[in-house]
């Protein structure tokens, strides 16, 4: 009964937040910059959730998520440019291709342990980036500028940020719910046991290879989905910007900051870190210095050294203490 | 999707809470229905509303302060350029906002902009970090939150490309003083102006120069080699060099595309040495150019001439290489020696030196010029209304003597591109930069061909 | 230049640059092998060492070759400090936590130098080591040759230390089985301290030597660190000869690919070979020590 | 009394493994500890050896409490521990492994002499001294581990399942060696899966169940205890 009440309360909170998020743009019509930051936050919520699945739950440190992101962006853009195909189809084609690449890559390297897997993914991501930089067919270093179409739902193109806001919000919510569902499902349990002790999980009869691949592919799907939409939003993609390893790294830092292997972690991390980065960039970066990066580094270091479970666990502890206080 | 999630949770709840479960269910249903309606309505209003809406013009800033947004890479691996431009622009603001009657620059004699009641220019800085997205979000921030009247920037073509998007959307003039990608002005943007030659121009100038050399020295130059980095700028430069080489009857026998800031360039140089062209062009940033010179020396190989972009004029190049940097050529917009005869530039250089201990270099001179072009346009517009400023841009005509750069005049063509204004070619001799081409502007005779490493 | 000379030249280039990679990799490999920590800040320590050399040169007029012992000692202590103040708390943490910690360190070091020294390109002009040896049409740059020499000396010293001294044996023992080493009375914390000290001192040597022929720039570490990762994994982490093998192999692959196929794709060959090795020989070519 | 363990409690994370273990060992004895899997036998050793800090209770060695000492201090007091799992350093030569055994000692000459003595006791070490330890067979590794442990000059030798995974013949040999070591005045404590063999060779024994000592007696007594026979000796005497 009590549990139920807690759930009820939590649900209500989420609902209120959702209302706020839905209504927020009405107050921000004249503040596209804030909208832009919101959109970037949503992008990183989704990407960080994707990373959370493979890294936070299944425990495989992947530095290749930005490649899937780029595959999504490139596929839909190429289809739009050459076949004039709506990004709605491109989106699924991109997801399919990213899924295939993830499957093949994962099949080959997911048996590698810990650092080896991490370094292998870095190498793969670098290879793809270098190939794209030299592949004239996909614009090489020129990148691809999306053809400006009439603003429409069909071409997923608008001149205002508002529709993008809702779309990215939707994607962020979908990915969070997806992770929540996985978290509560049997697969989530398997992922966690793989992360804790892979050999043990194998002994218990869990098909570790299958589940790791599953996490990898789903993670790639989410990244590709966000990639397509991001390309539609930013209207220009090039290997140096959307195959930058910093995208994956940022996801990792966000998840770590928020809380590894929790549903709320990536959301919290993105909501705090992305605006913080924007803020420091504007307030400190303008001085021609690198202070913002230093602050970023210090925050991560402090989190890692003193609170490796992330901010989410601090919040939970605070909540417990408050409840205790209220009770007494 | 979301309401499904909530309801799923509620079901659990409902099973456990016996009292009033029907009531609660109903209530939630109503709330979720209500929310759905709001969501739909606001989405629709957003989508429909934006179609009718023309981009809202930003409200003009108070007359006292004319805010100009500046976007350059202030951090990241190109921050050196950003820092140099920042210094130059601060000096330009100082000159515009205060009385400097002895300087023959537009707006120097008056305090502020006379047609706007002496309004002062204020620079608001945005950091592009050298990445297109950051450049774009910086532009957005500057337009919306800082309500800048116009934008200046962004050095790298890729960044300029994305940063000019919001300017186009919101109808804010964007003046680009230093990106050379030709596509920028081919996009047909209404609010985008560029007061610098395109990449196509300097590649053509370089080939013209070699044609002249062939005539003058009967040098019989024919083969051409290109090093270009794998960035947008590098690839584009390489492509244009190849195009013009072909046009002028040179043969590109080796084109080496290399990864930007790679740890080692031996393979690249060895390949070029193997092909052994008469002429080599380096289209790369300064770090790579330094490494190229060092690696060529290690390999004891030089073609008849090596030319590079204007970035090797940055003081880092000779600081790094010393005498080894001698005899290299560069295409440049702002040859310092040429304008030492010009009292204006001498004076400005002194001011710069006094303030920051640095001198003008090419990017900073271009950014400096850009701000004057912009201020001049705003002044002639007599208002901060973007449309009027845009109109004033079209009529820009700043004569050569009122500029730090050695061009005939600044005027824009119908594509918003600088009309006249080409590159000159400099050669490094005795650790100094001397203009050697066009012949009539030369301050020293060219040393041709460049002496090999053994002969130095 | 005929093909034989060309191939010889490419081999020489590959070995010379491979020596630098090996020197960078060996420190990384040591830390990786003993503590199972991948030091993402390795490239930034390299940059810092190059900057120290530059500072000694520009303020005291000491050539990098002369200030080398100083830099090594400084970096030994920087290594101790890193272990004592940061990594000590993370010894049994999951991989991800250590990656994040070293990445944070990397940001702090990189942009710390960025703030202090501004993003200018610096080169040590007229060092003791310059010019090239020319043997018929083959040229061997002296600075790189001496770097290779010092790399070899460093590695022989390191190898002998690990092989023939008591502390060295303890380091190897700790790398192979931390708990058993502990049960024999090895003070593991002290071993970690020494490991970090040595690992960072190695990269200190690499940085100092690099400054004689490469430009010094706050972001230069990024370019080297990926190559170093590949070298270490190729050779098998935690072994000195593995790092040497990895470094040289990568140097050669890079030079051959770059010269004979395409310079733009030279790193594709490096990473491609590296992934293939990982797939077919996941522990690299050499085991731990 | 050499070692006294008084009611220790210890846990890994949240799981409490030891819930009150009391035992004592006299000088010169061979004491054996038997019990089912997961009873906490190895944990007792790990706690004595300082890998695990007891939550409650005391460990007294030679009249001194060692419960909170770091491992390398405990070793200096004269305790040596051999792991249940394979614990040679695989990529070191046999001789290097031996030298690691003398890591905390500084008397070079004495170490050399000791190694020679041990070589006589375990001839295999001398035979294969320059071979990598990973190339040894299971029994040879067991000998190497014991020899290495003895280099610490222990007063108390903790052996965690010394015969696990070895052929019956080698198991017997191992116990012969254990006896031999004991005859040199070294007190030995054994945890053993092969209860019958172990009890035969020990002076006294303890039975551990669910993290508690439930029985104590001489080796023969325990061997004849009907409950022990039922539970650990397969019902046969």
């Amino acid at each position: 009964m009590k549990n139920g009440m807690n759930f009820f309360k939590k649900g209500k909170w989420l609902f209120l937040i959702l209302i706020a998020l839905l209504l927020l743009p009405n107050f921000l019509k004249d503040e596209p910059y804030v909208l832009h930051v919101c959109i970037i936050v949503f992008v990183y919520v989704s990407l960080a959730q994707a990373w959370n699945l493979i890294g936070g739950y299944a425990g495989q440190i992947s530095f290749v998520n930005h490649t899937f992101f780029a595959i999504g962006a490139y596929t839909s853009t190429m289809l739009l440019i050459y076949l004039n195909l709506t990004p709605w189809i491109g989106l699924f084609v991109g997801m399919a291709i990213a899924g295939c690449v993830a499957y093949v890559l994962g099949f080959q390297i997911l048996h590698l342990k810990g650092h080896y897997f991490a370094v292998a993914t870095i190498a793969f991501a670098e290879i793809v980036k270098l190939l794209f930089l030299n592949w004239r067919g996909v614009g090489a270093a020129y990148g691809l500028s999306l053809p400006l179409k009439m603003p429409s739902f069909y071409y997923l193109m608008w001149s205002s940020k508002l529709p993008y806001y809702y779309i990215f919000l939707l994607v962020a919510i979908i990915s969070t719910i997806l992770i929540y569902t996985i978290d509560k499902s049997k697969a989530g349990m398997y992922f966690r046991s793989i992360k804790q002790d892979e050999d043990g999980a194998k002994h218990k009869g869990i098909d570790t290879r299958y589940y790791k691949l599953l996490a990898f592919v789903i993670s790639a799907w989410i990244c590709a989905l966000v990639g397509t939409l991001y390309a539609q939003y930013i209207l220009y993609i090039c290997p140096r910007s959307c195959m930058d390893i910093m995208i994956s790294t940022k996801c990792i830092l966000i998840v770590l900051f928020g809380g590894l292997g929790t549903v709320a972690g990536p959301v919290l991390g993105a909501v705090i870190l992305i605006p913080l980065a924007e803020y420091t960039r504007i307030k400190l970066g303008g001085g021609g210095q690198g202070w913002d990066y230093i602050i970023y580094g210090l925050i991560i270091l402090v989190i890692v050294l003193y609170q490796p479970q992330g901010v989410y666990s601090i919040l939970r502890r605070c909540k417990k203490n408050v409840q205790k206080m209220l009770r007494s | 999707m979301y309401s499904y999630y909530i309801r799923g949770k509620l079901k659990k709840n409902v099973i456990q809470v016996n009292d009033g479960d029907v009531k609660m269910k109903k209530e939630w249903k109503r709330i979720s229905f209500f929310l759905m309606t709001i969501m739909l309505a606001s989405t629709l209003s957003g989508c429909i509303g934006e179609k009718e809406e023309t981009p809202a013009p930003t409200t003009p800033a108070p007359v006292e302060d004319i805010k100009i947004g500046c976007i350059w890479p202030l951090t990241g691996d190109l921050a050196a350029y950003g820092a140099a431009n920042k210094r130059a622009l601060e000096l330009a603001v100082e000159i515009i906002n205060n009385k400097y009657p002895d300087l023959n620059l537009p707006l120097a004699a008056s305090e502020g902009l006379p047609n706007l009641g002496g309004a002062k220019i204020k620079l608001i800085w945005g950091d592009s970090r050298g990445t297109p997205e950051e450049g774009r979000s910086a532009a957005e921030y500057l337009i919306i939150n800082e309500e800048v009247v116009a934008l200046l920037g962004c050095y790298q073509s890729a960044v300029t490309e994305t940063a000019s998007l919001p300017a186009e959307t919101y109808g804010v003039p964007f003046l680009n003083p230093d990106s050379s990608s030709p596509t920028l002005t081919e996009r047909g943007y209404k609010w985008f102006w560029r007061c610098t030659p395109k990449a196509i121009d300097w590649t053509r100038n370089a080939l013209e120069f070699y044609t002249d050399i062939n005539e003058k020295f009967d040098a019989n130059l024919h083969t051409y080699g290109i090093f270009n980095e794998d960035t947008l700028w590098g690839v584009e430069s390489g492509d244009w060099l190849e195009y013009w080489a072909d046009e002028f009857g040179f043969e590109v026998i080796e084109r080496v595309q290399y990864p930007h800031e790679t740890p080692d360039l031996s393979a690249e140089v060895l390949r070029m040495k193997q092909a052994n062209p008469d002429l080599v062009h380096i289209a790369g940033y300064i770090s790579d150019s330094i490494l190229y010179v060092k690696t060529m020396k290690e390999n004891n190989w030089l073609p008849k001439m090596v030319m590079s972009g204007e970035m090797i004029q940055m003081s880092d190049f000779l600081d790094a290489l010393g005498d080894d940097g001698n005899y290299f050529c560069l295409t440049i917009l702002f040859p310092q020696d040429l304008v030492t005869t010009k009292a204006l530039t001498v004076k400005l250089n002194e001011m710069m030196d006094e303030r920051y201990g640095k001198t003008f270099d090419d990017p900073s001179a271009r950014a400096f010029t850009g701000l004057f072009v912009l201020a001049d346009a705003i002044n002639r517009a007599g208002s901060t209304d973007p449309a009027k400023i845009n109109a004033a841009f079209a009529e820009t005509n700043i004569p050569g003597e009122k500029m730090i750069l050695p061009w005939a005049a600044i005027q824009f063509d119908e594509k918003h591109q600088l009309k006249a204004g080409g590159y000159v070619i400099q050669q490094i001799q005795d650790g100094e930069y001397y203009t050697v081409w066009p012949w009539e502007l030369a301050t020293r005779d060219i040393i041709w061909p460049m002496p090999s490493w053994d002969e130095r | 230049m005929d093909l034989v000379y060309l191939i010889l030249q490419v081999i020489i280039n590959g070995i010379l640059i491979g020596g630098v990679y090996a020197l960078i990799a060996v420190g990384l490999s040591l830390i990786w092998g003993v503590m199972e920590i991948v030091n993402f800040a390795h490239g930034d320590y390299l940059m810092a060492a190059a900057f120290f050399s530059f500072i000694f040169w520009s303020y005291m007029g000491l050539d990098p070759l002369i200030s080398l012992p100083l830099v090594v000692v400084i970096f030994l202590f920087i290594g101790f400090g890193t272990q004592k103040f940061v990594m000590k708390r993370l010894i049994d943490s999951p991989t991800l936590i250590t990656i994040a910690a070293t990445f944070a360190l990397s940001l702090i070091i990189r942009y710390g130098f960025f703030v202090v020294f501004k993003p200018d390109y610096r080169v040590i002009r007229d060092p003791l080591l310059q010019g090239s040896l020319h043997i018929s049409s083959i040229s061997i740059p002296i600075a790189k040759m001496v770097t290779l020499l010092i790399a070899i000396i460093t590695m022989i010293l390191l190898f002998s230390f690990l092989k023939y001294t008591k502390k060295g044996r303890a380091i190897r023992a700790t790398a192979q089985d931390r708990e058993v080493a502990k049960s024999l009375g090895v003070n593991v914390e002290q071993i970690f301290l020494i490991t970090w000290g040595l690992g960072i001192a190695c990269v200190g040597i690499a940085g100092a030597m690099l400054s004689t022929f490469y430009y010094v720039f706050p972001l230069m570490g990024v370019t080297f660190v990926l190559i170093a990762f590949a070298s270490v994994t190729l050779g098998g982490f935690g072994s000195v000869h593995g790092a040497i093998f990895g470094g040289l192999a990568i140097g050669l692959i890079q030079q051959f690919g770059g010269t004979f196929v395409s310079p733009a794709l030279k790193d594709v060959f490096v990473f491609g070979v590296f992934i293939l090795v990982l797939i077919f020989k996941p522990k690299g070519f050499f085991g731990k020590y | 009394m050499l070692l006294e363990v008084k009611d220790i409690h210890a846990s890994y994370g949240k799981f409490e493994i030891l819930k009150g273990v009391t035992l004592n060992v006299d000088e010169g004895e061979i004491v054996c500890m038997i019990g089912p899997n997961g009873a906490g036998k190895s944990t007792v050793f790990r706690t004595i050896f300082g890998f695990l800090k007891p939550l409650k209770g005391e460990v007294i060695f030679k009249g001194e409490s060692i419960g909170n000492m770091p491992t390398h201090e405990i070793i200096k007091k004269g305790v040596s521990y051999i792991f249940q799992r394979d614990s040679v350093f695989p990529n070191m030569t046999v001789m290097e492994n031996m030298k690691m055994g003398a890591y905390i000692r500084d008397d070079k000459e004495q170490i050399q002499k000791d190694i020679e003595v041990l070589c006589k006791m375990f001839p295999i070490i001398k035979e294969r001294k320059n071979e990598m330890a990973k190339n040894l067979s299971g029994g040879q590794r067991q000998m190497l581990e014991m020899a290495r442990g003895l280099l610490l000059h222990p007063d108390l030798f903790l052996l965690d399942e010394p015969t696990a995974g070895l052929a019956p013949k080698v198991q017997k040999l191992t116990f012969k060696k254990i006896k031999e070591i004991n005859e040199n005045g070294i007190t030995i404590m054994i945890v053993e899966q092969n209860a019958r063999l172990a009890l035969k060779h020990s002076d006294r024994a303890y039975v551990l169940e669910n993290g508690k000592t439930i029985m104590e007696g001489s080796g023969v007594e325990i061997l004849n205890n009907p409950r022990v026979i039922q539970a650990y000796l397969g019902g046969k005497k």
Side-chain angles (χ1 to χ4, degrees), chain A residues 287-289, chain B residues 79-80 83 87 358, chain C residues 51 112-122 216-218:
Chain A
Q289 315 274 309
Chain B
R87 289 192 290 266
K358 301 255 180 180
Chain C
F51 257 103
F113 273 87
F114 190 92
V115 166
V116 176
F117 290 98
K118 306 281 176 279
D120 296 330
Y121 296 96
R122 296 174 165 84
V216 181
F217 180 62

Side-chain angles (χ1 to χ4, degrees), chain D:
Chain D
M1 201 167 290
L2 189 67
L3 175 79
E4 254 186 293
V5 175
K6 287 184 191 162
D7 189 37
I8 50 166
H9 291 242
S11 65
Y12 286 120
K14 282 178 190 164
F15 303 104
E16 196 175 18
I17 308 283
L18 300 186
K19 300 162 189 164
V21 173
T22 305
L23 47 85
N24 47 58
V25 180
D26 277 327
E27 251 164 87
E29 274 188 314
I30 298 182
V31 174
C32 165
M33 214 172 7
I34 59 171
N37 270 335
K41 291 169 293 179
S42 294
T43 314
V44 174
F45 276 8
R46 296 175 76 85
T47 315
I48 296 170
F49 202 59
F51 278 176
L52 213 62
K53 299 283 164 250
L55 299 173
K56 223 176 99 184
E58 249 189 313
V59 182
I60 294 166
F61 183 69
K62 290 183 183 168
E64 202 177 333
S65 172
I66 57 168
N68 281 313
M69 276 189 190
T71 303
H72 56 268
E73 298 279 323
I74 295 174
I75 294 165
K76 279 183 192 155
K77 292 260 173 292
V79 182
S80 188
Y81 173 43
I82 292 182
F83 287 75
Q84 175 182 355
R85 61 184 173 88
D86 203 2
S87 69
V88 295
F89 299 115
N91 288 325
M92 282 175 135
T93 63
V94 171
M95 198 38 83
E96 280 175 338
N97 263 288
M98 289 299 287
K99 281 183 181 160
M100 275 311 297
Y103 180 74
I104 54 163
R105 291 171 56 183
D106 288 323
D107 43 346
K108 267 193 175 166
E109 284 157 34
Q110 189 59 41
I111 291 172
Q112 206 52 45
K113 276 181 203 158
D114 286 355
I115 289 179
E116 268 159 40
V117 171
L118 285 166
C119 282
K120 264 176 213 147
M121 200 165 165
F122 302 95
I124 194 75
I125 291 169
K126 197 163 198 178
E127 272 167 42
R128 312 192 65 170
K129 68 176 180 188
N130 287 326
E131 194 138 350
M132 285 290 171
K134 63 181 168 194
N135 298 335
L136 300 184
S137 73
Q140 290 166 337
R141 279 188 225 183
Q142 190 63 50
M143 297 299 140
L144 175 57
E145 280 165 23
M146 282 208 264
R148 195 178 64 186
L150 287 173
L151 266 179
L152 288 167
H153 278 314
D155 295 314
L156 177 66
F157 206 6
L158 306 174
L159 297 172
D160 200 344
E161 302 204 13
T163 63
L166 299 182
K169 223 178 174 181
V170 188
Q171 288 186 358
K172 282 212 175 111
L173 183 79
T174 309
F175 268 98
K176 222 178 100 198
K177 289 288 174 202
I178 291 172
K179 267 273 191 260
E180 210 179 314
I181 295 166
N182 182 242
E183 275 154 19
N184 282 324
I186 294 169
T187 314
I188 291 176
M189 230 180 131
I190 311 175
V191 160
E192 197 35 270
Q193 205 66 30
N194 188 339
R196 194 186 301 271
L197 189 67
L199 290 171
K200 243 185 229 163
H201 288 87
S202 7
D203 302 322
R204 281 190 313 119
Y206 287 89
V207 179
L208 220 67
E209 245 172 52
N210 282 327
K212 281 182 191 153
T213 34
I214 56 161
M215 215 181 282
E216 181 196 343
S218 75
V220 189
E221 257 172 50
I222 300 279
L223 197 58
N224 292 326
N225 184 302
R227 200 179 148 206
V228 173
I229 292 169
Q230 192 59 39
Y232 308 117
L233 303 174
K236 279 182 274 174
K237 202 172 173 182

Side-chain angles (χ1 to χ4, degrees), chain C residues 258-276:
Chain C
T259 313
F260 293 107
V261 189
S262 161
L265 298 178
K266 62 183 182 185
D267 291 340
V268 173
F269 302 119
V270 170
F271 292 125
V273 168
F274 162 65
I275 285 193
L276 287 180

Side-chain angles (χ1 to χ4, degrees), chain B residues 350-361:
Chain B
E350 272 168 15
M351 287 172 78
M352 191 76 167
D353 197 27
E354 205 176 287
R355 286 188 136 210
Y356 305 105
K358 301 255 180 180
T359 52
F360 271 103
D361 51 17

